[in-house]
Amino acid sequence: MGDTFASFVCFYCSFCSGYSMPHLPASSALQRFRVVDLTQVRAGPTACRQLADWGADVIQVQMPEHMRGDDTLGGQEGSDYQYTHRNKRSITLNLKEEEGISVLKRLIGGADVVVENFRPDVKFRLGIDYETLRVDNPRLVYASISGFGQSGPLAARPGFDQIAQGMGGLMSVTGLAEQGPMRVGIPIADLCAGIFAAQGILVALLERETSGKGQWLHTSLLESMVYMMDFQTSRWLIDGEVATQAGNFHPTSIPTGVYKARDGYMNIAVFGSRIWERFCEILGAPQWVSDERYKDKMGRSVNRDSLNAEINRLLAAQDRAYWIERLNVGGVACGLINSMQEAFEEPQIKHLNMVKDVVSAHLGAQRLVGQPMQLERTPSTIARAAPRRGEHTEEILTELGLSAGDLARMKSTGVY
């Protein structure tokens, strides 16, 4: 299965006759690609969800029920699991059995992409590393996600999101100084590693169109977290400045942060001298423009505490809606600070149609957030709810040419 229609047809003709197209692509954009998903927890499944949401045939390979320990993501019926594994098919294989590995290699032989997040040594021990698999499938794109990288002094360590948040520097610039280091409210290292892996896979597939060759790509929670530190990295690497916690206020642009109106909190972002002048006029404090303490960026930085107190004093005279209307008319960026419920009640979020409806055969109607980018000609949707583990095992093994007798024997011996 590859980049051309001819190879797409050839793959299915070579493995089965009368193929019934059980794959339900969520988009036509990537529907010609098959992805074998060997990942668990969040970073790897996030990468595969990105590909599945754009139409790839993602086949999730998990351990059989009799080999499983504690569930991750709240169990397969939990909302987290349902969100993460939609648009995929699922099989179970016992990779401790030689036949399980053999069947997996057969599946990978017709795939475009493999994604794994084992500890770096595991894939070599199982004989499913890139160098081994590329012998039979030289066009294979093989993506690895780990906690700390594929090599180096920490490569063998277990990695989890909050560990990467701390080691990558994020927790040192989040929160208030008097509260100590603070994690952010989402698993940002996991999510970014997954999204970067998906981006790397797409880059490798594009490159394959000219070279005809696959390649191994890898990222980690730690690399992704450091990259996401963005301008904070250049503050240190170029300016020699160690960033510290700035709480709810921007570390370099003042006034930008959380302020309190009469009925609650809101965000205001004042960037540039002209916007600063408009902001002062709207708040009824035009004198700040010429005030020695506040008239330039450096002065506002040095005197940020007194300026923020003055801003809050003036904002307290009116509700948030009053200020949001006037500030936006004046070109000053601002907005509410919403709970999750309030966010989904926002008229703009409703207009963007981010919430998609899907029906799970096991759990009934569901509402899930879809992709945040819109392709007008080949849009993404949610074509199928998250499967039960192993829901498509026999369907997919039959596609590979295994007989009913083979399936019965494999089931009885615990191969799946």
Side-chain angles (χ1 to χ4, degrees):
M1 192 175 194
D3 296 324
T4 66
F5 179 75
S7 62
F8 175 76
V9 172
C10 179
F11 170 77
Y12 288 114
C13 290
S14 65
F15 282 107
C16 63
S17 59
Y19 181 64
S20 60
M21 291 299 286
H23 169 42
L24 300 176
S27 170
S28 61
L30 299 180
Q31 75 175 88
R32 69 186 186 277
F33 298 112
R34 172 168 280 189
V35 178
V36 176
D37 174 7
L38 302 177
T39 69
Q40 55 184 331
V41 191
R42 191 179 306 277
T46 294
C48 295
R49 182 188 65 211
Q50 289 298 105
L51 303 175
D53 280 1
W54 291 104
D57 182 11
V58 174
I59 298 174
Q60 182 186 30
V61 181
Q62 295 184 297
M63 295 183 293
E65 290 296 331
H66 68 275
M67 298 179 63
R68 297 192 63 82
D70 292 338
D71 268 325
T72 58
L73 301 183
Q76 64 176 328
E77 293 189 357
S79 59
D80 196 353
Y81 189 98
Q82 293 294 308
Y83 178 73
T84 303
H85 294 293
R86 82 276 187 106
N87 283 330
K88 303 176 184 179
R89 294 195 285 169
S90 174
I91 69 171
T92 55
L93 283 176
N94 183 352
L95 300 186
K96 294 183 178 181
E97 294 285 342
E98 183 177 343
E99 188 170 12
I101 292 291
S102 176
V103 172
L104 176 62
K105 287 182 175 180
R106 187 168 177 177
L107 179 64
I108 292 172
D112 297 282
V113 177
V114 168
V115 187
E116 61 87 14
N117 63 351
F118 302 119
R119 290 193 194 184
D121 64 309
V122 172
K123 54 184 167 288
F124 297 100
R125 191 168 70 247
L126 294 176
I128 53 172
D129 57 282
Y130 172 68
E131 291 298 328
T132 298
L133 297 176
R134 71 188 288 262
V135 173
D136 293 324
N137 188 353
R139 291 170 59 80
L140 181 68
V141 171
Y142 189 107
S144 297
I145 306 172
S146 62
F148 301 100
Q150 295 297 306
S151 60
L154 305 185
R157 284 189 182 182
F160 288 90
D161 175 84
Q162 189 161 333
I163 309 303
Q165 284 192 38
M167 294 181 68
L170 179 61
M171 292 175 67
S172 74
V173 299
T174 305
L176 300 170
E178 61 268 23
Q179 296 176 340
M182 184 75 66
R183 68 180 291 275
V184 302
I186 58 171
I188 190 168
D190 276 336
L191 296 175
C192 289
I195 291 169
F196 289 146
Q199 181 180 355
I201 289 166
L202 295 176
V203 171
L205 289 172
L206 281 171
E207 191 279 336
R208 191 179 74 173
E209 292 183 357
T210 56
S211 69
K213 300 177 181 178
Q215 59 182 300
W216 183 28
L217 66 100
H218 43 88
T219 188
S220 67
L221 273 61
L222 185 61
E223 289 169 284
S224 298
M225 194 69 268
V226 171
Y227 183 82
M228 287 301 294
M229 293 303 291
D230 199 71
F231 74 96
Q232 300 286 28
T233 67
S234 60
R235 287 178 73 186
W236 164 245
L237 293 173
I238 296 175
D239 300 331
E241 180 182 358
V242 178
T244 58
Q245 291 163 297
N248 282 322
F249 295 98
H250 194 281
T252 60
S253 178
I254 296 104
T256 294
V258 175
Y259 296 92
K260 191 173 184 180
R262 186 166 59 192
D263 65 337
Y265 293 97
M266 60 185 291
N267 277 314
I268 300 174
V270 179
F271 281 83
S273 57
R274 289 193 177 184
I275 298 299
W276 165 244
E277 292 172 7
R278 293 180 195 169
F279 176 70
C280 294
E281 187 67 33
I282 294 167
L283 255 65
Q287 69 276 11
W288 290 351
V289 175
S290 57
D291 190 314
E292 289 296 325
R293 298 171 299 168
Y294 309 142
K295 69 178 185 180
D296 57 31
K297 183 177 180 180
M298 181 59 69
R300 293 193 291 275
S301 179
V302 171
N303 298 289
R304 66 167 64 203
D305 290 341
S306 63
L307 176 58
N308 286 334
E310 286 293 314
I311 291 171
N312 277 329
R313 182 180 63 82
L314 295 178
L315 289 174
Q318 300 288 345
D319 289 347
R320 291 173 296 175
Y322 174 92
W323 293 117
I324 286 172
E325 179 183 357
R326 281 155 182 77
L327 290 170
N328 276 298
V329 168
V332 181
C334 62
L336 296 172
I337 298 174
N338 291 324
S339 67
M340 268 322 340
Q341 178 181 343
E342 291 166 337
F344 286 112
E345 292 170 354
E346 274 278 357
Q348 184 63 23
I349 292 177
K350 290 181 177 180
H351 168 79
L352 292 171
N353 194 30
M354 294 188 70
V355 177
K356 308 296 182 184
D357 294 310
V358 68
V359 177
S360 166
H362 312 290
L363 301 174
Q366 297 179 338
R367 300 172 71 232
L368 302 169
V369 170
Q371 284 292 312
M373 58 276 199
Q374 310 307 320
L375 274 63
E376 290 292 327
R377 186 167 51 79
T378 57
S380 168
T381 189
I382 299 178
R384 76 162 90 220
R388 289 277 176 87
R389 276 189 296 270
E391 182 174 328
H392 305 100
T393 301
E394 295 184 358
E395 171 183 287
I396 290 168
L397 296 186
T398 300
E399 290 174 18
L400 295 181
L402 296 175
S403 68
D406 292 328
L407 298 182
R409 175 183 52 77
M410 291 168 62
K411 181 72 171 177
S412 67
T413 56
V415 177
Y416 74 87

